[in-house]
Amino acid sequence: METLTVTTAAVTDNQRWVDGFAERPDLQQGPAQLVSFRQNAIEKLAQTSFPTRRDEDWRYSDFTRALNEDWATQVAQAPQVVRNTFEIPDFTGFVLVTIDGEFQPDLSDTIPGLVVSTTEALIDDATHGSWIAERLSSFAEDDNAFTNLNAAFAKTSLFLSIGKNEKIGKPVHVIHLATRNASKRFINSQVFVRIPQGAELTIDETFDTLAQGEAIFRNHVIRGSVDAQGRLEYRSIQNEGRNDYHVSNANFDQAGTGYIDHTRVDLGGSQVRNNLDINHKGAGLETHMAGLFFARGRQRIDNQTFLDHAFPHGESNEIYKGIVMDNAVTSFNGKVLVRPDAQKTNAYQQNDNLIIGTKAEANAKPQLEIFADDVKCSHGATIGQMDEAPLFYLMARGIDRGTALGMLQRGFLLEVLDRINSEAVRAYVEHMLMAKFNEA
Amino acid sequence: MLSIKNLHSQVEETPILKGINLDIKPGEVHAIMGPNGSGKSTLASVLAGREEYEVTDGSVDFLGEDLLELDVDERAQNGLFLAFQYPIEIPGVTNATFLRSSINAIRKANGLDELNGAQALKLIREKMAAVEMDPSFLKRSLNEGFSGGEKKRNEMLQMMLLEPKLAILDETDSGLDIDALQVVAKAVNSMRDANRSFLVVTHYQRLLDHIVPDFVHVLYQGRIVRSGDKSLALELEKRGYDWIKEEVDAQTA
């Protein structure tokens, strides 16, 4: 059963962000182009409302109350960071670190063959400047207030690229840290990923917090492009604190014959909203999108994906699986558009939800809009309860109730866990999952 | 070993067991037979602790403890094993993980060291050979896509690994071909000893050709209406259940 509370005229006071922007002289400094993008973005934000439940695509995610709290945007004094605390055990790859959205070269590995830089350093660069400018201008002009906000406040953002037809052979772990302190802090972080023709890169992104203190609101943006025959494997794993907020906007342009494999994991956060947009720019490409979420307590986790098949012979495969228990609420809204020109498209989408208890709520909204006639498309969504029969069977073999539940929950999510092509990352996710299953 | 006194049980307000009395001593094999709907499987389920069956009267003592007070997992840890009539398919949990978790749950509860992966695997493979199961079944999801016979072999494998003190076989013979039936019988017979007991619930006498019981009880309308030795099973095979039904119905009329 679903209840919809319509709040009357929920208004977010955007003036506070405009004022906050004015109090940040550091945002007015740096390369002129960047400053002007930030300026445009804050002007856009002044005229753009944050979405509320009245917006169809945000029915299950209303951040109004959260946004109206007192958030500091100033860069905090980061404490001494012991990097290995945040590393993935047994991970054999490179590590990069951002703190409060800013890239930290001192804490990061040097990666042979990879361009690791920042928007500030490259905005006027001959090779990458125009690519960055294109992205920045596109999302400053977006109608999504969260991306406007991000574009106005983000600084020293991480930029990753690699040479044409090159690969570095090892995955890159990007650790995004947020510093807690005595005031609630709002973090606007950005990552840019550029995969040129024939190049390959694997990125594992994790989010964590430093020190003790008040809540964090992370407003994250990742923008990327994958050119012909390029391959991007991109995992994003979120296990932030249970009082924290997380909004993520991921947007990728995928050229013909390109390959993207994305997996998103959400375990933490008080309220989480992910937007994932993949725009097909050519024929014969392949896109995989997987998601795993587990919400309990009063968590709200909302995934919205949009896949735009605009060219023929495209293949997409989307699977999102989630468990919701206690008083938690989850939702999945997956849009797949198959445009008239996208003949011979194979598009598959599945969303399965497991509800435990009587108060949890899962919402599923698969949306396939197909305008081409020679395509193979399928979608399915299920919302089910935990069966007593398997639980009884396991317990009848001496396994205690908690362990049995954990085994069944893990079993339910296995299809997505199996999609994680890295033993270390998978073990890391499973470890966090088990810890969450075992919470009283 | 097991002492059932005046056991009454109902499911959704419908009484099914109406006063069962049964004593099983260490080393004994008891068979429970009876027509469909007599309460055979209910008895097995109540003993294993299935929640849908409400016990309204009576008591069950298992090795000196009040069985009905124990949770499902504790009953198993104390040495009770139910071979399911319809083993449950559990996608996403491999047979190997399940077997190892189960072995270790029971070892741990009994103060034994848990087996590591290699030790557990060695033991499991050894017992798999005994029930003629291919090791490839270890990697598969528990019972998922197994044939009827494969599921029952898997039940017997679990019984051999968990070494219960009392094993209840709930119509383990139903739907089995003769080869699978032999495997079940072989598993049970290999485990018979002076300290282990069996309660074999079956509709047909066929299984009892291979697992020779010490006692045979006939369950009808929720009560044990007749007990005897293995010859009772043979008589039932020849004459069916109707003569017993008639006798009981005449007495209660």
Side-chain angles (χ1 to χ4, degrees):
Chain A
M1 240 192 39
E2 113 194 356
T3 47
L4 179 65
T5 319
V6 180
T7 45
T8 47
V11 172
T12 310
D13 173 16
N14 286 6
Q15 188 58 39
R16 62 161 65 216
W17 300 110
V18 177
D19 296 344
F21 185 81
E23 287 161 17
R24 290 276 308 270
D26 58 314
L27 296 172
Q28 326 282 336
Q29 289 158 12
Q33 256 203 100
L34 267 189
V35 171
S36 122
F37 282 129
R38 289 189 196 122
Q39 194 62 46
N40 290 345
I42 197 72
E43 282 164 19
K44 174 83 182 179
L45 179 66
Q47 301 149 19
T48 310
S49 302
F50 280 91
T52 69
R53 280 170 177 267
R54 283 170 299 168
D55 299 283
E56 181 59 26
D57 285 349
W58 291 79
R59 270 180 77 178
Y60 302 103
S61 284
D62 192 336
F63 287 90
T64 308
R65 194 187 299 166
L67 285 164
N68 282 336
E69 289 177 26
D70 239 342
W71 297 102
T73 66
Q74 274 78 8
V75 173
Q77 191 66 45
Q80 196 68 35
V81 176
V82 183
R83 195 183 86 177
N84 63 18
T85 316
F86 306 101
E87 290 177 12
I88 296 168
D90 302 320
F91 182 82
T92 48
F94 301 103
V95 176
L96 301 173
V97 178
T98 76
I99 297 180
D100 300 344
E102 303 198 357
F103 175 54
Q104 308 291 317
D106 294 349
L107 289 169
S108 301
D109 293 339
T110 307
I111 310 179
L114 194 71
V115 178
V116 179
S117 189
T118 65
T119 45
E120 282 181 335
L122 291 181
I123 189 73
D124 297 316
D125 180 73
T127 316
H128 297 298
S130 60
W131 185 94
I132 293 173
E134 202 184 310
R135 258 102 211 137
L136 278 173
S137 64
S138 79
F139 80 89
E141 283 156 18
D142 212 327
D143 281 329
N144 179 339
F146 284 104
T147 50
N148 301 149
L149 179 61
N150 180 281
F153 284 89
K155 252 189 93 189
T156 330
S157 305
L158 182 63
F159 172 89
L160 301 176
S161 189
I162 186 167
K164 208 168 160 181
N165 294 317
E166 283 185 8
K167 54 182 168 187
I168 56 171
K170 285 181 183 172
V172 177
H173 177 198
V174 183
I175 302 172
H176 295 290
L177 298 173
T179 316
R180 290 188 197 282
N181 62 23
S183 41
K184 296 183 173 182
R185 304 198 58 248
F186 202 100
I187 311 292
N188 289 290
S189 47
Q190 289 175 350
V191 174
F192 295 91
V193 182
R194 186 181 188 188
I195 311 288
Q197 188 178 333
E200 290 180 25
L201 188 62
T202 297
I203 298 172
D204 288 291
E205 200 179 31
T206 59
F207 301 90
D208 235 310
T209 50
L210 286 170
Q212 303 295 314
E214 290 292 315
I216 299 285
F217 194 131
R218 180 182 286 278
N219 180 26
H220 187 63
V221 168
I222 180 165
R223 296 261 159 155
S225 68
V226 176
D227 290 350
Q229 282 116 38
R231 291 175 75 91
L232 173 66
E233 213 173 288
Y234 162 51
R235 289 179 284 267
S236 188
I237 297 155
Q238 184 275 119
N239 190 21
E240 288 171 314
R242 296 298 168 81
N243 294 318
D244 297 337
Y245 300 89
H246 187 106
V247 173
S248 151
N249 279 285
N251 191 312
F252 293 93
D253 290 334
Q254 186 179 2
T257 67
Y259 176 94
I260 293 179
D261 184 351
H262 172 58
T263 304
R264 172 80 196 188
V265 174
D266 282 286
L267 302 175
S270 144
Q271 202 180 336
V272 178
R273 165 61 181 245
N274 300 314
N275 287 340
L276 171 66
D277 291 6
I278 295 181
N279 317 303
H280 286 179
K281 301 285 189 190
L285 43 67
E286 191 179 332
T287 309
H288 298 272
M289 300 184 287
L292 179 161
F293 49 93
F294 177 29
R296 58 183 306 179
R298 298 197 163 272
Q299 285 185 290
R300 301 182 72 96
I301 298 176
D302 178 6
N303 275 292
Q304 175 130 2
T305 68
F306 176 54
L307 187 68
D308 187 353
H309 276 284
F311 293 85
H313 296 284
E315 209 163 312
S316 69
N317 190 331
E318 179 172 26
I319 172 123
Y320 271 69
K321 290 193 122 182
I323 299 176
V324 53
M325 64 191 288
D326 306 329
N327 295 288
V329 179
T330 62
S331 66
F332 169 80
N333 183 350
K335 288 184 204 170
V336 177
L337 177 60
V338 182
R339 293 182 190 265
D341 290 341
Q343 298 293 1
K344 306 280 184 193
T345 290
N346 282 333
Y348 168 85
Q349 183 192 72
Q350 183 70 32
N351 168 230
D352 297 316
N353 302 279
L354 179 64
I355 296 185
I356 297 172
T358 52
K359 290 179 185 155
E361 177 185 324
N363 301 279
K365 189 178 176 189
Q367 284 178 273
L368 259 71
E369 292 179 46
I370 301 166
F371 298 100
D373 49 16
D374 186 13
V375 296
K376 277 187 201 148
C377 298
S378 74
H379 67 99
T382 64
I383 297 179
Q385 294 269 354
M386 175 66 86
D387 278 344
E388 279 298 319
L391 201 56
F392 176 74
Y393 189 74
L394 296 180
M395 289 178 72
R397 297 300 179 248
I399 300 168
D400 68 83
R401 190 180 183 87
T403 307
L405 261 175
M407 287 169 76
L408 294 172
Q409 289 170 323
R410 181 187 171 278
F412 177 79
L413 298 172
L414 190 70
E415 209 176 341
V416 179
L417 290 170
D418 279 345
R419 296 281 308 274
I420 300 175
N421 292 330
S422 154
E423 286 283 331
V425 176
R426 183 192 166 130
Y428 176 73
V429 171
E430 289 215 32
H431 180 77
M432 292 190 297
L433 253 183
M434 287 302 153
K436 196 168 173 185
F437 289 150
N438 292 330
E439 279 172 22
Chain B
M1 172 83 59
L2 184 78
S3 176
I4 304 174
K5 291 201 164 64
N6 191 34
L7 184 65
H8 285 67
S9 172
Q10 63 182 30
V11 60
E12 288 172 0
E13 310 284 306
T14 309
I16 300 184
L17 301 183
K18 301 167 186 168
I20 302 273
N21 290 290
L22 180 66
D23 269 298
I24 300 178
K25 295 193 169 53
E28 292 178 350
V29 175
H30 290 243
I32 299 264
M33 302 184 69
N36 289 330
S38 59
K40 301 189 299 288
S41 283
T42 300
L43 177 60
S45 294
V46 168
L47 294 176
R50 203 187 283 272
E51 267 181 20
E52 304 93 281
Y53 299 90
E54 190 193 344
V55 174
T56 50
D57 201 1
S59 67
V60 181
D61 179 287
F62 178 54
L63 295 165
E65 278 198 74
D66 181 354
L67 185 73
L68 302 177
E69 283 298 306
L70 298 177
D71 285 339
V72 178
D73 52 332
E74 294 168 329
R75 296 180 194 203
Q77 290 160 7
N78 285 8
L80 186 122
F81 179 89
L82 172 69
F84 282 60
Q85 182 177 6
Y86 303 109
I88 309 295
E89 299 195 4
I90 306 186
V93 176
T94 65
N95 218 12
T97 302
F98 162 69
L99 292 170
R100 187 178 154 200
S101 303
S102 172
I103 293 166
N104 281 334
I106 286 177
R107 288 182 69 93
K108 198 176 160 193
N110 287 283
L112 298 170
D113 287 340
E114 295 183 33
L115 301 185
N116 66 30
Q119 292 166 327
L121 195 64
K122 184 169 178 284
L123 181 68
I124 293 167
R125 281 173 177 273
E126 205 178 286
K127 304 290 184 192
M128 277 185 109
V131 294
E132 297 167 28
M133 265 179 97
D134 192 272
S136 65
F137 281 95
L138 284 176
K139 284 185 187 159
R140 289 175 55 179
S141 283
L142 177 53
N143 292 326
E144 196 185 30
F146 288 23
S147 71
E150 287 160 355
K151 283 179 182 164
K152 297 298 171 73
R153 281 171 208 252
N154 209 25
E155 294 293 291
M156 290 301 100
L157 171 64
Q158 293 162 43
M159 181 180 75
M160 295 185 84
L161 287 167
L162 302 181
E163 301 183 330
K165 300 188 176 80
L166 172 68
I168 303 166
L169 276 63
D170 185 9
E171 307 212 17
T172 299
D173 51 333
S174 68
L176 289 193
D177 62 26
I178 189 70
D179 289 342
L181 199 71
Q182 300 271 18
V183 168
V184 169
K186 208 172 109 191
V188 171
N189 290 330
S190 74
M191 291 187 74
R192 282 179 82 155
D193 72 33
N195 299 313
R196 182 174 290 122
S197 311
F198 292 87
L199 181 62
V200 180
V201 175
T202 181
H203 186 76
Y204 301 103
Q205 192 270 340
R206 188 172 69 141
L207 180 65
L208 305 180
D209 281 344
H210 305 280
I211 302 171
V212 181
D214 301 304
F215 301 95
V216 175
H217 311 279
V218 179
L219 200 61
Y220 179 55
Q221 292 187 342
R223 290 188 191 86
I224 291 176
V225 295
R226 189 171 290 248
S227 295
D229 61 15
K230 61 183 178 184
S231 62
L232 177 58
L234 291 169
E235 193 174 356
L236 289 169
E237 177 73 1
K238 263 188 226 134
R239 298 175 63 191
Y241 286 108
D242 285 351
W243 62 281
I244 288 191
K245 287 186 193 172
E246 280 160 22
E247 274 185 29
V248 174
D249 293 346
Q251 281 165 23
T252 51

